Amino acid sequence: PASTLPPSHCIMASLVGEDGRPAVVGQSTGRWLSLEDFVSSEGGSLQEADLRCLGFPRDWPAVYGKSAALKALIGKRGCIAGKRVAVAGEPLPEDRAQSQVASLQFLPLQSFSNSERAARAVPGLIVVRGWAVFERLDREPGAAFVAERYWWNSFPDGRWVDLTPRPEALTQLLLAEAEGSSKQLAVLSTAEASLWSRLLEWRFPALAAQQQSQQRPQKQKQQPQQPRQKAQEKPPKQDDSRQAPAAAAPKAATKPAKVLDYSKWSKLVDSDEDEDVPVRSAEPEEDCGVKDLAEGPNAKKLLPVPDFLVGNTGGGGGTNCYTSITKLLDAEIEKGESENMHQLAQVFGKMFHNGLMDAKRQNFYKRCLAAIPADAFVVVLGLGSIVPMLRAARRGAKKGVLLETSKKLGGVAESILKANKLSFPVSVVQGGFAAESAVTEALRRLVPKNAKSVVILTERMAHDLLSNGIVPSCVAVHKAVRSCVPGAALTHIPRTVELVAAPVEIRSERLNEFDIRPFNAFRHTTSNEKADFWWWPVRLDNQQNVRSVLLGPPKTLCGFDFDRSPEIALDEVRRTLKLEATTRGRCNGAALWWTAKFGEEEYSSRPHMAEQRPGAAKEQQQPPCKSEWKQAVHYLAGETALFPGDTLDLLVSITPCFTVRMLQQSPFSVEAPNWVQAPNSTKFSATVPVLPYHFLMLTDLERLEVYQRAIRAAVQAQKAKLGRRPRVLDAGCGIGLLGMTAALEGAEVWLCEAVPLMRRMCREVVAANSAAVTEKKGLVQLLPPMMSTRIQIGHDVQEKFDIVVSEVMDLWCLGEGIIPTMRHAHKKLLADGGMMLPSKLMIFVQPLELSLWNQAEREHEVDLQVLGKEMKSKFSPMRINQFPRRWLTDEPIAALEVDLTQVPQQPADGDPNLEGGVKLCIRMGGKPALRAKISTATIDHSGMLSGYGIWWAADLGHGNVVMSHPDNPQRSWKQLVRWLDTPRFVAEGEEIQVLTCYNDHQVNVEDIFVPREMVDQYQEQLHAKQQGLTAAQSRIASSSGQPGGQTKTEPAAQTPAASQDEEPALEVD
């Protein structure tokens, strides 16, 4: 209780900002409680009134074992899974008596700032982030609980202490430490101030009363001044009978119609306009501009956002990505065929293909191997891009060895060697190349004792050079070889590697008429609390509609001479790097690339824009070579305006067995906003918070323009039809460009985005374009973060929408939820006569002859068909036109059509769902598909059927169609290839059949092919069964007295029909 606190801890009934001053709405920065900081065990949204009757859980601790609601809240699998749960009493007297604590003031309802203040003042005291758990005392015991985001402190010995003042009559708190408990600094909003006031009134009534009594005298002092101010004003001369008393003024103000009566001129009109003028004066002016509906006293508390909507948690630097996925590959092999195995096959297939088609890379290793002594023994570290290993094997069976860390990849290597009729030993080192003892043991059996020369060849570079472990691997293998053959000459391919950095500007500014500069803030941050990476792979030469400029020459970060491996230290090194500017620009990152050398030979991940060597222009005119390795870009914590001659100071951390990290020391021109979690002086971190395809989609003009044409046509059509501006919902709005397109046509728009960080970015982009929206008399209203399927008419919005637009299609078309989004919109949100964009989806398939490895096989004269068998995947995302291929039909097959205004309901188990009246129930993912269809096509060109190309089209109305067709110039979506398990030859004129089915989130395509011999066998079985049935009917007829074995026609016809009606549909997975 507050009364037990010593005088130095007098509780203040005030809300204080980060600067220690009383908080002011719209100005003060701090961490403020909001309705989003409360989670209910019952799910759904909480309102302020739901927080009134909260208390310590009754019957604790027994209630934890009894109450399913409490476990669902803070259990290990709860929505706020507690890592540690404990009851915290009031601070001990000795804790309060510490000099550092005694001098501090701790404020009610501000646990975030209280815990940080204590941690700064007391050495060793740390902040613990979690939740305070209360029971709803207005419900049955154990029925409902509420968790409040709450911070406290911990001593070095792990003992918790909570210095935040407790609510009156509440001596202990149930605290749960859990993930997802961070709280960002923000400007105080009206809703947050209102919530604080209500909680203070309910939890600290005495303090609330004290605060009100302190504010009352100030109001009384101000009230006498109001009559004097009115007395000084000279009102217009008018009849006494029409002058209202002062006390009645507020009532009069509530009736807008009486405002006109204060002047005798209000009803004077021109006789020619006596009917028009009153109508115009009474007509309310349409609201226009932009609004954030999450602010204000009516802000809605929403459910926690699912993890998959929080942001990207994979990719980037700081992890040994290659080692991780090879371990995962071996683990999946143990399980057998799985969905993960198909995805891993795609990953490795893409790596192998990029490496094989990289002509510069293959020529580098070809020339290097040609330059080594003929009797040299070659140790190849990893399968790499395959061809260098095969070139080493061609030198002789006893002149080398392949060391691999993955069992699966080792088996693939053996199969490839066998297919190419080569003998070359393969040894799997499961401990990894950095494990010197394991490598030594493997090499001792394979390296000849009399070897005079040993060459270590590796392709274990990464985008940032280091993070695939090239340095520790080469160092460990070098030492192992030296211990096996001490007298041999030892060298490496490549012998040296050098990593450089250059200042770079990678920024988006405008996309058509929209200012999208705020979106650049996403380049300055980690994605969320679960991700902590330091760079992102970027092809600087392939940034369309983006300003991508090198602002200065590269500077060397680090270099390694592997022939001197014993001298290489693997410890972290920190130093200051000074990058000079030679071009004017706004620097927001540092681009890294590397160069590998062996003698005069060189291979580099250098972008074309940095080429300065003689002959560079000629190289750029050659067909582009898509290397496996991109440039690694460190996005910094803001933007810095650079002019020629300026210098940018970066603190660099280099760990040879890890990665490179950077932190800008020079002052920023513009710092990244706090809400994007930008890196600070205590943490190296910077990368994007969203998946890279968001940036690709943002710069896709074709995609944007087709949607804009459709939206403009729809708005104009509805405006003409309704005689007013239409109401438009942009569901899954991203940064709001589609909704703002409608607003620029004068529409009233609601933007709905569920991802909190993306919604905040949408808010910034909308604000940047608010002047244009206002000028066009449009209105943009940003809904609180929610899925559009949670919008309730009459609660979140007052009326239904005239237009619903959404672009939540992926390369599968359905993977991001376009069906549930539009199904709900049509049923619950769309007004009668409303329009949906899109309203219809089409899935197309086309038989295809394509081999990923044919071109590489021709160029390198090798057999790589083993890769198609060993790295088999059902589907591959790719841009089909970038590969040599042949379409086996002239036109694609329209395999599925989905009318989003009439999406079928989920069939029950066993219900037929195959179009055409066939009694089949096609299942997907363990339950019936929404719909299935068998399509037939005739082959126009003989060839080897490898699979089916798949793409989609979405009808946006008025002749506008957005599609992922291979010939379409859009860049947002690739196509899919559904590979056949076994390719087969098909002849011109031959018919093929494809089964296509879909559910809410997936599309599946299956080739229907029954070999001729299987058809013949089935027909023979059917014929034999029919003969047996006829014989049985004859025996029955004879026993019933029918002459000549004949049966009555009528019963015979009725019996099969009746049985057919009762026959359930055949279920097929």
Side-chain angles (χ1 to χ4, degrees):
S3 59
T4 64
L5 298 177
S8 62
H9 283 77
C10 179
I11 301 178
M12 298 175 59
S14 62
L15 192 59
V16 175
E18 191 74 6
D19 56 2
R21 300 176 182 176
V24 178
V25 173
Q27 298 181 17
S28 301
T29 300
R31 292 182 172 88
W32 320 106
L33 272 178
S34 67
L35 285 175
E36 295 180 355
D37 296 314
F38 294 86
V39 178
S40 172
S41 63
E42 298 175 306
S45 58
L46 289 170
Q47 304 299 324
E48 286 186 1
D50 298 324
L51 308 179
R52 184 164 190 168
C53 299
L54 302 181
F56 187 79
R58 293 169 285 194
D59 195 23
W60 178 266
V63 66
Y64 184 75
K66 299 177 182 177
S67 173
L70 185 57
K71 283 187 177 180
L73 187 64
I74 62 172
K76 290 183 178 180
R77 297 183 180 180
C79 55
I80 52 168
K83 295 192 296 186
R84 177 186 173 190
V85 179
V87 174
E90 293 185 350
L92 299 175
E94 54 267 30
D95 296 336
R96 294 189 183 280
Q98 294 190 47
S99 59
Q100 299 96 327
V101 174
S103 60
L104 301 177
Q105 287 184 328
F106 299 104
L107 305 176
L109 305 176
Q110 291 190 254
S111 68
F112 309 122
S113 57
N114 291 336
S115 58
E116 290 184 319
R117 194 178 300 115
R120 287 193 295 265
V122 182
L125 203 65
I126 63 172
V127 176
V128 182
R129 297 171 175 83
W131 304 78
V133 183
F134 303 95
E135 183 174 3
R136 290 195 62 165
L137 304 181
D138 56 346
R139 303 292 177 85
E140 292 295 325
F145 298 84
V146 173
E148 173 188 330
R149 203 183 307 270
Y150 197 87
W151 294 0
W152 59 96
N153 298 100
S154 174
F155 288 102
D157 60 2
R159 181 167 55 89
W160 285 355
V161 58
D162 176 27
L163 297 167
T164 297
R166 299 287 171 79
E168 297 172 12
L170 191 63
T171 58
Q172 55 185 0
L173 280 181
L174 179 61
L175 302 178
E177 182 183 2
E179 297 290 343
S181 310
S182 63
K183 182 72 176 179
Q184 296 301 310
L185 290 171
V187 176
L188 180 64
S189 68
T190 304
E192 292 163 341
S194 172
L195 177 63
W196 176 85
S197 179
R198 298 297 296 274
L199 291 177
L200 187 73
E201 176 185 348
W202 294 333
R203 298 185 183 182
F204 301 88
L207 287 174
Q210 177 186 355
Q211 184 189 39
Q212 292 177 0
S213 64
Q214 291 174 352
Q215 294 176 350
R216 194 173 297 117
Q218 298 177 359
K219 294 181 179 180
Q220 292 174 353
K221 291 179 182 179
Q222 296 174 357
Q223 287 175 357
Q225 298 176 2
Q226 295 175 0
R228 288 197 297 270
Q229 291 174 355
K230 290 186 177 181
Q232 293 173 1
E233 297 175 358
K234 294 183 179 180
K237 192 173 182 179
Q238 52 190 343
D239 295 339
D240 294 339
S241 61
R242 299 182 63 178
Q243 184 167 347
K251 292 184 179 180
T254 63
K255 300 180 180 180
K258 291 186 177 181
V259 175
L260 297 174
D261 294 336
Y262 283 110
S263 171
K264 62 183 180 181
W265 311 104
S266 62
K267 294 185 178 180
L268 285 179
V269 296
D270 191 310
S271 60
D272 292 335
E273 300 176 353
D274 56 352
E275 294 181 358
D276 295 337
V277 172
V279 174
R280 284 203 301 265
S281 62
E283 184 178 301
E285 184 178 352
E286 286 187 332
D287 196 5
C288 59
V290 298
K291 296 180 180 180
D292 187 342
L293 300 182
E295 296 183 352
N298 297 323
K300 181 182 177 183
K301 171 66 176 70
L302 295 154
L303 294 175
V305 178
D307 283 348
F308 74 88
L309 288 178
V310 172
N312 175 38
T313 58
T319 58
N320 194 328
C321 305
Y322 184 81
T323 300
S324 300
I325 62 175
T326 52
K327 289 180 179 179
L328 183 59
L329 178 66
D330 286 346
E332 291 298 321
I333 291 297
E334 298 293 332
K335 299 178 184 178
E337 185 172 335
S338 67
E339 190 64 30
N340 286 340
M341 188 61 222
H342 288 291
Q343 294 177 0
L344 287 167
Q346 293 177 16
V347 171
F348 280 96
K350 183 177 180 180
M351 290 169 51
F352 290 143
H353 189 270
N354 285 346
L356 287 164
M357 300 310 298
D358 188 344
K360 292 182 179 179
R361 174 176 174 178
Q362 296 303 332
N363 288 335
F364 170 76
Y365 283 99
K366 178 181 179 180
R367 292 191 292 263
C368 290
L369 285 170
I372 64 176
D375 61 347
F377 187 87
V378 180
V379 179
V380 182
L381 303 187
L383 184 55
S385 61
I386 302 172
V387 172
M389 183 240 347
L390 294 176
R391 294 188 187 281
R394 287 171 181 166
R395 302 176 74 255
K398 297 182 179 180
K399 290 187 177 182
V401 61
L402 170 66
L403 298 183
E404 183 52 73
T405 59
S406 163
K407 284 184 178 180
K408 173 64 176 178
L409 295 183
V412 171
E414 290 177 339
S415 299
I416 293 174
L417 289 165
K418 183 178 180 181
N420 287 273
K421 300 178 181 179
L422 294 172
S423 177
F424 199 66
V426 178
S427 180
V428 176
V429 183
Q430 293 187 349
F433 295 144
E436 184 180 341
S437 58
V439 175
T440 302
E441 182 181 352
L443 291 178
R444 203 177 297 279
R445 302 190 307 267
L446 299 168
V447 180
K449 301 295 183 182
N450 59 349
K452 297 180 179 179
S453 176
V454 177
V455 177
I456 301 172
L457 184 150
T458 184
E459 298 178 78
R460 293 184 70 88
M461 289 78 86
H463 303 293
D464 69 330
L465 176 65
L466 304 178
S467 61
N468 280 349
I470 183 174
V471 177
S473 297
C474 286
V475 169
V477 175
H478 184 103
K479 294 178 179 179
V481 171
R482 182 60 68 202
S483 66
C484 294
V485 282
L490 183 55
T491 190
H492 290 253
I493 300 177
R495 175 177 174 176
T496 63
V497 290
E498 180 187 24
L499 182 65
V500 301
V504 67
E505 176 182 357
I506 306 177
R507 296 175 65 253
S508 303
E509 295 188 349
R510 298 195 69 84
L511 196 66
N512 277 0
E513 62 267 47
F514 296 117
D515 181 352
I516 59 172
R517 286 176 295 178
F519 190 71
N520 292 303
F522 268 168
R523 304 182 192 271
H524 304 306
T525 172
T526 55
S527 60
N528 51 54
E529 295 176 348
K530 301 178 183 178
D532 191 17
F533 304 110
W534 295 275
W535 50 264
W536 202 261
V538 177
R539 291 196 194 277
L540 293 178
D541 295 318
N542 189 31
Q543 299 299 305
Q544 298 182 26
N545 303 315
V546 174
R547 177 172 167 78
S548 178
V549 183
L550 292 177
L551 302 178
K555 284 286 190 72
T556 299
L557 278 174
C558 59
F560 302 93
D561 184 344
F562 293 131
D563 284 6
R564 302 170 61 182
S565 288
E567 303 173 23
I568 296 177
L570 302 180
D571 299 328
E572 179 191 18
V573 175
R574 293 193 177 195
R575 67 184 184 89
T576 299
L577 180 69
K578 293 183 178 294
L579 298 179
E580 298 178 357
T582 56
T583 302
R584 179 180 175 180
R586 299 187 66 84
C587 179
N588 63 343
L592 278 61
W593 61 85
W594 46 263
T595 301
K597 293 184 177 181
F598 182 80
E600 299 297 321
E601 302 299 333
E602 176 184 303
Y603 176 75
S604 179
S605 64
R606 178 192 305 110
H608 284 302
M609 64 173 64
E611 294 282 3
Q612 298 295 332
R613 299 171 299 165
K618 183 177 179 181
E619 291 181 2
Q620 292 184 29
Q621 293 173 0
Q622 295 176 354
C625 174
K626 195 172 183 180
S627 169
E628 175 187 346
W629 298 299
K630 306 176 184 179
Q631 293 76 49
V633 174
H634 280 259
Y635 289 112
L636 302 171
E639 297 178 0
T640 306
L642 293 182
F643 293 85
D646 288 349
T647 300
L648 191 71
D649 292 343
L650 301 177
L651 176 62
V652 181
S653 165
I654 304 171
T655 308
C657 56
F658 186 42
T659 189
V660 176
R661 300 177 291 171
M662 291 183 172
L663 192 70
Q664 182 168 326
Q665 294 181 314
S666 304
F668 292 100
S669 301
V670 178
E671 292 193 38
N674 290 328
W675 59 266
V676 297
Q677 303 177 17
N680 54 50
S681 59
T682 62
K683 178 182 178 183
F684 288 89
S685 183
T687 184
V688 293
V690 290
L691 291 169
Y693 74 82
H694 285 102
F695 290 97
L696 190 65
M697 295 177 69
L698 183 69
T699 59
D700 188 349
L701 274 176
E702 172 65 24
R703 163 186 165 272
L704 175 63
E705 288 176 349
V706 68
Y707 258 98
Q708 286 188 317
R709 291 192 296 269
I711 291 170
R712 288 166 183 157
V715 170
Q716 294 303 326
Q718 291 293 78
K719 186 183 293 186
K721 175 182 174 182
L722 301 170
R724 57 170 172 82
R725 64 180 182 182
R727 298 164 54 85
V728 180
L729 172 67
D730 184 355
C733 65
I735 64 173
L737 301 188
L738 303 186
M740 284 193 292
T741 297
L744 292 180
E745 294 297 312
E748 188 175 358
V749 178
W750 281 259
L751 301 179
C752 182
E753 174 57 53
V755 182
L757 200 60
M758 185 65 79
R759 181 194 176 278
R760 180 61 187 263
M761 178 55 69
C762 176
R763 186 179 189 273
E764 301 298 319
V765 174
V766 168
N769 294 275
S770 59
V773 172
T774 304
E775 181 183 355
K776 297 295 184 179
K777 302 298 183 182
L779 176 62
V780 175
Q781 301 174 92
L782 181 58
L783 290 165
M786 65 169 72
M787 303 287 285
S788 67
T789 51
R790 295 188 180 276
I791 296 176
Q792 298 178 20
I793 302 299
H795 186 246
D796 301 298
V797 295
Q798 295 306 311
E799 300 178 54
K800 290 187 175 182
F801 300 99
D802 306 305
I803 301 172
V804 176
V805 60
S806 184
E807 193 282 274
V808 287
M809 291 85 76
D810 62 353
L811 59 87
W812 289 91
C813 187
L814 308 183
E816 293 185 3
I818 185 66
I819 284 184
T821 297
M822 301 309 262
R823 177 199 287 134
H824 175 267
H826 185 263
K827 185 177 180 180
K828 301 287 188 180
L829 306 179
L830 192 67
D832 292 340
M835 301 175 63
M836 296 205 309
L837 281 65
S839 60
K840 185 185 297 182
L841 305 173
M842 295 286 292
I843 308 296
F844 294 95
V845 301
Q846 191 165 1
L848 180 69
E849 180 182 81
L850 185 153
S851 174
L852 294 176
W853 318 111
N854 281 355
Q855 186 176 354
E857 288 179 321
R858 290 194 303 269
E859 292 182 359
H860 303 296
E861 298 179 350
V862 294
D863 184 347
L864 299 173
Q865 293 307 306
V866 171
L867 287 175
K869 300 176 182 178
E870 297 287 347
M871 291 296 170
K872 183 190 300 182
S873 62
K874 289 182 178 179
F875 295 90
S876 291
M878 62 175 62
R879 301 195 186 277
I880 294 177
N881 281 359
Q882 295 181 356
F883 294 84
R885 82 283 174 205
R886 288 179 64 238
W887 299 112
L888 301 182
T889 60
D890 292 332
E891 298 294 334
I893 304 168
L896 278 178
E897 180 176 323
V898 183
D899 186 346
L900 294 175
T901 65
Q902 298 178 355
V903 177
Q905 296 298 319
Q906 177 63 50
D909 284 342
D911 285 354
N913 57 3
L914 183 64
E915 293 183 11
V918 181
K919 278 206 163 186
L920 279 178
C921 179
I922 307 299
R923 300 171 62 86
M924 295 179 64
K927 62 180 182 180
L930 292 179
R931 189 71 77 230
K933 178 182 176 182
I934 294 178
S935 304
T936 302
T938 302
I939 295 295
D940 295 315
H941 310 283
S942 300
M944 187 64 66
L945 179 61
S946 309
Y948 293 90
I950 306 172
W951 60 88
W952 53 263
D955 185 0
L956 304 179
H958 296 92
N960 297 289
V961 179
V962 62
M963 63 177 64
S964 62
H965 189 281
D967 295 333
N968 192 276
Q970 60 80 25
R971 302 172 63 238
S972 299
W973 304 287
K974 299 179 181 180
Q975 297 81 47
L976 283 165
V977 173
R978 171 59 163 104
W979 301 105
L980 267 61
D981 293 337
T982 303
R984 71 175 190 274
F985 179 80
V986 290
E988 180 181 345
E990 180 180 341
E991 285 193 346
I992 57 171
Q993 286 189 316
V994 180
L995 171 65
T996 314
C997 54
Y998 71 96
N999 57 22
D1000 274 0
H1001 297 281
Q1002 290 178 310
V1003 175
N1004 193 30
V1005 175
E1006 296 289 345
D1007 175 59
I1008 300 178
F1009 172 66
V1010 182
R1012 184 72 249 174
E1013 56 271 17
M1014 186 178 295
V1015 174
D1016 294 340
Q1017 183 181 2
Y1018 175 75
Q1019 288 180 340
E1020 291 175 1
Q1021 292 175 352
L1022 189 63
H1023 180 66
K1025 184 178 180 181
Q1026 185 65 34
Q1027 287 182 334
L1029 180 61
T1030 302
Q1033 289 177 341
S1034 299
R1035 288 194 298 271
I1036 294 173
S1038 299
S1039 62
S1040 61
Q1042 295 294 328
Q1046 297 295 321
T1047 60
K1048 291 184 178 181
T1049 304
E1050 187 176 61
Q1054 290 177 348
T1055 304
S1059 63
Q1060 186 178 8
D1061 290 340
E1062 298 171 0
E1063 181 185 359
L1066 178 64
E1067 295 191 353
V1068 180
D1069 284 318

